[in-house]
Every structure is written in structure tokens, then in C-alpha cells.
Amino acid sequence: MGQVLVASMWDDGLTANIKLVEELDRIGVITSFAISPGLHKNHRTLNDYRDPKYGELVSIQELNVFGHHEIINHSATHIDFTNADSDMTINEIRIGKSMLEDLFQKEIVGFCYPYGCHNQHCHEALKQTNHLFARTTKGWPLSIPRHHCLNKYQLHPTCKWNHPNLLKLIDAAHMICGHVLFWGHTYELVSECDWKQIIDLYLSVKNHPYARLTSVKDIARKQYKLYA
Ligand SMILES: [Zn+2]
């Protein structure tokens, strides 16, 4: 049995991501950030105007702090795709990708559905815009750490960052040549205890005998046998 690939993805370009980047750079590991570039202004703004507990979005200038980690297209303006028509669907996906490619000067091949919602046009739009994979928010059944969708535009994460047995899921994934993909939002890291938990988790994975922290693209390549 080989290595277990482990990746993490943090949704939305939040100010607390800056602290996460500082911590991850200090211990030398990478993560992925799903960003909706059209939402970022010349100054910081509330992520959700209804409640500051959902954090603040970084300014457009601050986005470059994330550039050495994996960047994922989260649609241009974080729309709910549930009722979007075909034109709106492809525009949101295409514009999000091209804005991110301009901002970060690298090819963006991953997508993450805002709110985990998609419609019947999404897969074709993702294909037309050369996305290699798209992540949902649908977690696996907790006791079965096996990837359960063969569609690369339905890449289901394993669990959230605070799953109590996340390290055990690596062992379970090892038995079936699987992987672990965990995700979250940094506004969920509220206390010092939460920050310690996440940094300890990254350190445990980094020092794990058969796990390797990597990009979500690496997981998708292995899972779907993609060679791009
Ligand atoms: Zn989001």
C-alpha cells in the first residue's frame, strides 16, 4: 500500500486565511483556497452582511498572500447555482477562472461549488472552461472513507477540518488506497484552542509515516487518472 494523499481546502478569501498562511508557511505545508474574485474590493468587506461571525473578505490587493498555495475557482461572485440558467452558469465559472488567472498569473483548474450547490449546466460549463475537477460540500459517510462518485465534477470531501477522528480516517484510507480531503472556513477557527487543533493536525499529517500533504489537484489526478 502506498502513500495516502491528504489535502485541505479553505473556502472564501477571508482575512483569517492570512493567519493560516503564516502558520502553514512556518511549518512548511501547503493548502488550497477557494476564492470568488469578483467579491473582493479595494478594502476589506464583510463576508456575509447579515452577520460578522462569517468573517471578512480580504481586499483584492491582499489576495496575493495566498498565491503560493493552490488557488481554486469558487465562481466569480459566489452565486448559488441552483436556479442559474446556462448563460449565467458558464459566465460565473469562466469569469471566475479568468480573473483568478490574471490575479495569480497561473492556470486555475479546480472548482468549488459555492454553498455546495450546482445545476444541470455546471458539468458542461466546467468541461468547456477546462476545469479538471469540482469539489462539493457533501461529506462521505463517516465510517466509509471511500471516494463514492466517479464524476470528477462531484469530488466529495472526506470531512470538515474538525472531524474528531480525522487521523484515523488516514488509516482507513490507507487500507483502500484512498485519500483524505478536509475543508472548512477560517471563520470557524474561533478560539486559540481551534487554532492549536488545526496546526497540530497539519503537523501530525506532515510527520505521518504514510500520509503526504498535497494539492487537491493531486488527489483529483490520482482519483480520476488525469494527467493534465
Ligand atoms: Zn464559499
Side-chain angles (χ1 to χ4, degrees):
M1 282 177 284
Q3 285 183 320
V4 176
L5 300 184
V6 180
S8 53
M9 199 192 292
W10 297 91
D11 292 6
D12 312 327
L14 301 170
T15 53
N17 291 3
I18 296 174
K19 177 174 174 178
L20 184 69
V21 166
E22 286 167 3
E23 296 285 346
L24 298 189
D25 289 353
R26 190 171 52 78
I27 59 175
V29 299
I30 62 154
T31 188
S32 306
F33 293 107
I35 293 169
S36 297
L39 294 185
H40 295 267
K41 313 293 181 206
N42 284 325
H43 51 88
R44 295 179 174 187
T45 50
L46 279 183
N47 182 33
D48 184 329
Y49 68 91
R50 291 167 302 183
D51 197 330
K53 79 176 179 191
Y54 297 111
E56 277 187 315
L57 298 175
V58 298
S59 69
I60 198 143
Q61 294 83 359
E62 288 173 307
L63 280 173
N64 66 17
V65 170
F66 312 138
H68 54 296
H69 292 270
E70 184 180 31
I71 303 297
I72 304 286
N73 181 10
H74 201 26
S75 81
T77 62
H78 205 274
I79 65 159
D80 177 342
F81 280 100
T82 308
N83 296 312
D85 63 18
S86 163
D87 284 350
M88 182 181 255
T89 299
I90 196 156
N91 281 340
E92 275 286 328
I93 292 173
R94 176 177 286 134
I95 293 168
K97 177 174 157 91
S98 71
M99 284 180 80
L100 289 171
E101 288 179 341
D102 284 349
L103 278 166
F104 291 100
Q105 292 294 301
K106 60 182 178 183
E107 191 183 13
I108 306 296
V109 296
F111 189 80
C112 175
Y113 299 103
Y115 315 104
C117 299
H118 48 96
N119 62 47
Q120 75 270 31
H121 310 295
C122 284
H123 294 185
E124 185 55 34
L126 288 162
K127 197 168 144 193
Q128 278 184 31
T129 49
N130 298 319
H131 285 83
L132 287 185
F133 63 91
R135 200 213 83 205
T136 71
T137 52
K138 186 176 168 186
W140 295 339
L142 296 182
S143 58
I144 312 170
R146 182 189 294 276
H147 174 86
H148 67 258
C149 185
L150 294 176
N151 188 326
K152 65 184 182 175
Y153 296 137
Q154 292 283 291
L155 174 60
H156 301 319
T158 315
C159 58
K160 294 288 293 276
W161 65 273
N162 51 1
H163 186 287
N165 293 314
L166 205 150
L167 290 174
K168 287 202 177 107
L169 292 175
I170 293 176
D171 295 331
H174 195 228
M175 302 300 288
I176 58 161
C177 300
H179 61 258
V180 170
L181 167 56
F182 67 90
W183 72 287
H185 303 91
T186 49
Y187 65 69
E188 294 157 4
L189 301 164
V190 176
S191 64
E192 281 307 309
C193 202
D194 295 333
W195 281 96
K196 184 174 180 333
Q197 182 178 341
I198 191 66
I199 302 309
D200 286 351
L201 173 66
Y202 278 108
L203 279 171
S204 300
V205 179
K206 184 185 178 187
N207 297 320
H208 195 283
Y210 48 77
R212 181 165 68 85
L213 276 162
T214 187
S215 61
V216 184
K217 182 165 86 172
D218 264 0
I219 282 182
R221 274 180 177 150
K222 186 175 173 205
Q223 183 67 47
Y224 304 112
K225 301 186 169 45
L226 306 171
Y227 301 103

